[in-house]
């Protein structure tokens, strides 16, 4: 045991008691102390130091402190450290901390021991920042000291101080080259606590572990790769890996299968349509270069095909030496890839992307792909010019007249449980029965956009394992032929129908040339129909032989089958079965179908490219159309508001004119009527009460007048007024109807029904009936008012009425007063009572007219707002498309990279150098 170890473990005292094992150390050291003290120049420090240790072990800390405080030799730094330890044990942590901090020495291990004690003390006192500072300095100063790095790692982990934990693991891995520390890095990475570190932080550790152990290298890279995946720093990680791998000595024999798989998964995720090309272009070439260099045997063809496909679409981006190596590998290396599965996976990725980016459901091509992977049946496509007898042949095979007229859509007849389905790009519709099927066959508009799948149990189709594809008759022109034949790749064999009366014409040869141009690998055979219409059997044989010779000069391998609706069907079906068996070719069927799948994948990518252009054009047209509609709708709203204002003014003015007419009648009639009440006054009248009687009489006459004369006239005038308003409103409705028809024509549907609320007329009739049905006049004080003349007459009547000589005078005065009074106040009172409800009605007229036009006005405003929203929405989409054209273009380009990669893989190991 070394001296330093003894000092650390406080066993220095054992040096003095080796020969006195049976005597207590305190007695031994006491005797030695006394013996040393008797010397002329005694050196008691070493003995005191040893005595302090013994006291410490026996927990007599104060005695130990006393001994260690009197050390003056080379053991003094250790004595100070031990003194601090004693205070620590006594619980005097502050004193211990001060003593630890005061120790100054060049002894590295002593400093480390002091630091570790301080670390423990700081933890106990909760001073975590100081504890962190001490342990980090200790790691730097003496990382090889036993357990220092383990203590630090445990502390960092307990405090979840992952940054320092990661720094410790990386530094120690690089310093010690111990695989245990690399395992620790991997553990931290897998915990997910390293994501905040830049990928370059681990580069040196990755380079080092590559030289130490390849398996550990793959483990670390794999953990880091998975950690950075789906993070913002993912591309930075790939760039960093590219740089590292380019500078490492790697090759395909290096058994880096994990790294190869990581490259494979990453490449397919990078080109799945989520990323723009500009974000990939700077690192994919190096990425593919590295993949090709390290790919294991199962991924070699994949990597080589990826290099070639990327180089095709982005020429000169990859070193020509790498490209040449990839071509060589493709030429010489076979692959056991499940080509069909890979192809379908690619197709699903494309259609899923299209659907998520509002590029349509693409149901039609999805259905075609499903049919192509059905290897149980061969597809016979029946085509020919209109009137060539295709429908007759189909009915012969199906055994019933399903095609009683030329078809307008492509129809596939299959042996299966009965079900009829219409497939378009937008939707899949199950037809309810044969009548729906016939209706679809008779239509012309957009007929070629759909495919009808007609499933029904059929013995002939089942026995021969075929499905018939009937197509609309061709007219012979180029565009028409292309539209009909765009589903040609669905077919395994083409049966071209010829009319025996004029077989194999120039027009038919033109169509055949088109078929060979579109699908050069699909065999073509011929059906010769209507042979029963020829003169006799010899003529039929001659036409058949001549037609076959002419066909063979054009298509040497083609076969011809003659049929007629007049021939015996069972024999014809037997002959047809032999014919079909002779033309069926099941060899390499999967390869042929695979080629067709690739064709449809390529055309789907191309159609989506075009669809993006179409979408942009549709958005431009939609914005223009909505702007035009908004302008027209805004004009219509303003026009309707003006109409409403004009009608309101006309209605109110005409109503007021009636009211003023009645007011004038009352003003002219009432005074005369009241003046005529003078006849009620007689010379023998009781003049003390005449004013009361006369007032009652006047009120009665007023009520009769208003009830029997004014009200009927007012009612008649109001009815005429309502009829006039109705005519005005009808004119407005006719105007709105014309406006609605105009807008609906532009919309292409019955969207705007601008109906006004004619219930208003009924409401007015009801209100005027109610107001004019009866009028009861509340008594008006006509002669009971306190005007001077009335007051004098009433007073005189009461005073002199009983005297006969005064009656003549009062008679004349009363009569004169009644006949000459203007009755202005009475007229005002009558008008106030009579017109009260009519004035309330008048006040509601403006609101009523507004309600009459409310529905069409609201509908026009809503339509204008829809147009405004349509402009804004479509313009935003258009701006986004124009600002980020790569949003649509790049994913499709990357799908094409994947398609070309797959196409390269299909020729792997077949000695082909290029398939450009």
């Amino acid at each position: 045991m070394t001296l330093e170890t003894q000092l650390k473990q406080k066993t220095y005292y054992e040096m003095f008691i080796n020969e006195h094992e049976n005597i207590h150390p305190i007695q031994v050291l006491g005797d030695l102390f006394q013996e040393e003290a008797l010397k002329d120049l005694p050196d008691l420090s070493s003995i005191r130091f040893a005595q302090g240790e013994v006291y410490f072990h026996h927990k007599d800390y104060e005695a130990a402190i006393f001994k260690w405080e009197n050390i003056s030799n080379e053991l003094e730094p250790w004595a100070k450290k031990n003194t601090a330890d004693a205070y620590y044990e006594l619980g005097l942590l502050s004193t211990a901390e001060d003593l630890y901090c005061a120790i100054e020495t060049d002894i590295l291990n002593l400093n480390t021991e002091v630091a570790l004690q301080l670390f423990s003390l700081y933890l106990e006192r909760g001073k975590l920042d100081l504890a962190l500072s001490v342990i980090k300095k200790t790691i730097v100063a003496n990382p090889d000291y036993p357990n220092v790095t383990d203590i630090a790692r445990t502390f960092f982990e307990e405090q979840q101080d992952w940054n320092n934990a990661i720094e410790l693991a990386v530094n120690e891995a690089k310093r010690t080259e111990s695989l245990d520390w690399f395992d620790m890095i991997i553990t931290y990475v897998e915990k997910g606590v390293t994501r905040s570190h830049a990928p370059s932080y681990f580069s040196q550790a990755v380079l080092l572990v590559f030289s130490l152990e390849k398996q550990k290298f793959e483990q670390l890279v794999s953990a880091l790769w998975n950690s950075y995946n789906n993070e913002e720093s993912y591309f930075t990680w790939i760039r960093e890996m590219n740089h590292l791998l380019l500078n490492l000595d790697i090759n395909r024999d290096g058994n880096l299968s994990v790294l190869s798989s990581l490259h494979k998964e990453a490449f397919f995720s990078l080109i799945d349509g989520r990323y723009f090309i500009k974000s990939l272009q700077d690192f994919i070439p190096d990425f593919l270069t590295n993949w090709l260099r390290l790919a294991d045997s199962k991924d070699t063809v994949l990597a080589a095909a990826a290099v070639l496909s990327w180089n095709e679409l982005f020429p000169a981006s990859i070193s020509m030496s790498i490209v040449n190596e990839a071509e060589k590998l493709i030429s010489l290396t076979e692959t056991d890839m499940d080509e069909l599965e890979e192809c379908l996976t690619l197709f699903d990725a494309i259609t899923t992307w299209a659907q998520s980016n509002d590029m349509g459901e693409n149901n039609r091509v999805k259905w075609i792909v499903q049919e192509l992977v059905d290897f149980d049946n061969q597809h016979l496509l029946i085509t020919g010019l209109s009137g060539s007898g295709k429908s007759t042949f189909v009915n012969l095979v199906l055994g019933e007249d399903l095609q009683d007229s030329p078809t307008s859509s492509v129809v596939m007849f299959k042996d299966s449980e009965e079900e009829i389905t219409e497939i378009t790009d937008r939707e899949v519709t199950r037809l309810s029965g044969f009548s729906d099927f016939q209706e679809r066959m008779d239509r012309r508009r957009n007929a070629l956009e759909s495919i009808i799948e007609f499933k029904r149990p059929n013995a002939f189709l089942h026995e021969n394992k075929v499905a018939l594809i009937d197509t609309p008759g061709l007219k012979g022109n180029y565009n028409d032929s292309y539209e009909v034949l765009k589903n040609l790749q669905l077919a395994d064999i083409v049966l071209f129908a010829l009319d025996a009366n004029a077989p194999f014409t120039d027009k038919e040869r033109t169509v055949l040339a088109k078929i060979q141009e579109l699908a050069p690998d699909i065999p073509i055979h011929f059906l010769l129909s209507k042979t029963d219409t020829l003169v006799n059997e010899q003529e039929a044989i001659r036409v058949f032989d001549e037609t076959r010779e002419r066909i063979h000069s054009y298509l040497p391998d083609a076969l011809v089958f003659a049929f007629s609706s007049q021939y015996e069907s069972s024999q014809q079906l037997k002959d047809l079965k032999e014919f079909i068996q002779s033309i069926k070719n099941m060899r390499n069927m999967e390869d042929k179908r695979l080629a067709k799948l690739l064709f449809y994948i390529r055309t789907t990518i191309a159609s989506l490219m075009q669809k993006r252009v179409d979408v942009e054009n549709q958005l431009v047209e939609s914005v223009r159309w909505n702007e035009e509609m908004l302008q027209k709708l805004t004009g219509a709203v303003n026009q309707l508001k003006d109409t409403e204002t004009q009608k309101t003014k006309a209605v109110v003015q005409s109503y007021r004119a009636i009211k003023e007419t009645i007011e004038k009648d009352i003003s002219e009639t009432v005074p005369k009527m009241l003046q005529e009440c003078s006849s009620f006054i007689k010379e023998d009248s009781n003049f003390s009460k005449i004013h009361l009687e006369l007032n009652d009489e006047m009120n009665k006459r007023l009520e009769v007048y208003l009830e029997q004369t004014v009200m009927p006239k007012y009612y008649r005038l109001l009815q005429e007024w309502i009829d006039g308003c109705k005519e005005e409103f009808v004119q407005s409705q006719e105007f709105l109807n014309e406006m609605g028809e105009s807008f609906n024509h532009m919309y292409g549907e019955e969207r705007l029904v601008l109906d006004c609320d004619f219930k208003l007329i009924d409401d007015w009739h009801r209100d005027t009936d109610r107001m004019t049905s009866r009028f009861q006049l509340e008594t008006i004080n006509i002669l009971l008012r306190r005007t001077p003349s009335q007051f004098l007459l009433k007073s005189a009547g009461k005073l002199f009425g009983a005297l006969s000589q005064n009656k003549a005078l009062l008679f004349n005065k009363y009569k004169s007063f009644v006949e000459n009074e203007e009755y202005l106040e009475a007229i005002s009172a009558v008008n106030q009572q009579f017109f009260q409800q009519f004035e309330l009605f008048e006040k509601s007229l403006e609101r009523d007219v507004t309600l009459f036009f409310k529905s069409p006005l609201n509908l026009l405003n809503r339509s204008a707002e829809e147009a405004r929203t349509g402009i804004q929405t479509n313009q935003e989409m258009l701006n986004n498309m124009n600002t980020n054209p790569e949003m649509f273009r790049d994913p499709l380009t990357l799908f094409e990279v994947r398609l070309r990669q797959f196409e390269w893989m299909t020729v792997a190991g077949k000695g082909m150098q290029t398939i450009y």
Side-chain angles (χ1 to χ4, degrees), residues 609-673:
M609 287 279 197
Q610 181 59 43
K611 192 172 287 187
R612 189 267 179 196
V613 176
D614 294 341
V615 168
E616 184 175 358
N617 292 337
Q618 289 169 6
L619 288 173
V620 170
E621 175 58 25
S622 178
V623 169
R624 184 203 64 75
W625 186 83
N626 276 309
E627 286 176 342
E628 181 180 340
M629 289 300 293
L630 179 60
Q631 183 179 6
K632 292 180 182 297
L633 287 165
T634 303
V637 168
N638 292 331
Q639 197 171 3
L640 184 53
K641 286 181 177 179
D642 291 342
T643 300
E644 179 185 321
T645 302
Q646 293 169 5
K647 297 301 180 187
T648 301
K649 185 177 180 181
V651 165
V652 173
Q653 285 180 345
S654 60
Y655 180 81
R656 284 177 181 167
I658 295 173
K659 181 185 168 192
E660 289 168 0
T661 299
I662 299 300
E663 283 181 335
K664 183 179 179 183
D665 287 352
I666 292 173
S667 298
E668 292 176 352
T669 304
V670 167
K672 295 176 183 179
M673 184 177 62

Side-chain angles (χ1 to χ4, degrees), residues 195-387:
R195 293 192 183 101
S196 61
H197 287 70
S200 58
Y201 184 82
F202 301 98
S203 296
Q204 292 183 18
V206 171
L207 286 172
L208 178 60
V209 75
F210 178 80
S211 64
L212 297 175
E213 185 182 292
K214 298 295 189 298
Q215 184 178 356
K216 195 67 67 181
F217 164 75
E218 284 198 300
Q219 290 178 7
L220 178 56
V221 171
S222 178
L224 287 168
W225 203 307
N226 293 329
S227 172
Y228 287 120
N229 196 7
N230 298 321
E231 298 290 326
E232 290 184 5
S233 54
Y234 183 49
F235 286 0
T236 305
W237 159 253
I238 292 180
R239 292 185 184 93
E240 188 65 25
M241 275 306 300
N242 285 346
H243 176 71
L244 290 174
L245 294 175
L246 286 172
N247 290 285
L248 290 176
D249 183 18
I250 56 176
N251 55 66
R252 285 184 293 280
D253 298 326
N255 194 27
L256 298 173
S257 59
V258 174
L259 202 53
S260 177
S261 296
L262 287 170
H263 276 76
K264 172 186 173 181
E265 293 170 10
F267 180 68
F268 285 132
S269 69
L270 290 170
I271 63 171
D272 68 358
R274 288 181 293 169
Y275 305 109
F276 293 148
I277 290 174
K278 66 181 179 183
S279 65
L280 304 176
Q281 271 183 307
D282 67 323
F283 65 78
I284 286 292
D286 286 345
F287 179 89
L288 294 177
T289 297
N290 286 327
W291 188 17
L292 189 67
R293 291 171 61 218
L294 59 82
D296 62 2
S297 57
K298 72 177 187 305
D299 291 336
T300 300
V301 171
L302 265 174
V307 167
L308 295 175
S309 63
W310 186 270
N311 188 65
E312 281 183 30
L313 273 79
F314 306 99
S317 60
I318 300 177
S319 165
M320 280 308 299
S321 62
I322 296 296
V323 174
N324 292 335
E325 184 180 356
E327 287 184 351
K328 183 178 178 181
L329 287 170
I330 283 286
S331 175
L332 302 176
T333 310
E334 294 185 358
T335 179
D336 58 355
M337 172 187 65
D338 186 340
E339 296 175 337
L340 182 62
E341 184 63 30
E342 291 286 342
C343 194
L344 292 176
T345 300
L346 173 57
F347 178 76
D348 288 342
I350 295 170
T351 53
T352 300
W353 174 87
Q355 187 172 349
S356 63
N357 285 273
D358 299 323
M359 301 292 279
E361 296 290 331
N362 299 286
N363 289 312
R364 190 168 155 277
V365 71
K366 286 180 183 177
W367 177 85
I368 290 174
V369 167
Q370 287 177 351
E371 293 304 313
L372 288 176
V373 297
D374 173 15
F375 299 110
D376 292 335
N377 293 309
Q378 280 212 320
H379 301 152
L380 307 183
L381 185 139
I382 319 298
T383 189
L385 298 184
S386 298

Side-chain angles (χ1 to χ4, degrees), residues 84 141 181 227 339 417 472 554 556 780:
W181 280 109
S227 172
E339 296 175 337
E417 294 297 322
Y554 190 78
I780 299 174

Side-chain angles (χ1 to χ4, degrees), residues 30 81 371 374 435 441 453 461 479 521 700 784 842:
K81 184 262 182 189
E371 293 304 313
D374 173 15
S435 59
M441 291 299 94
E453 183 181 44
L461 297 180
N479 291 332
D521 296 328
K700 288 178 182 178
L784 303 180
E842 180 184 348

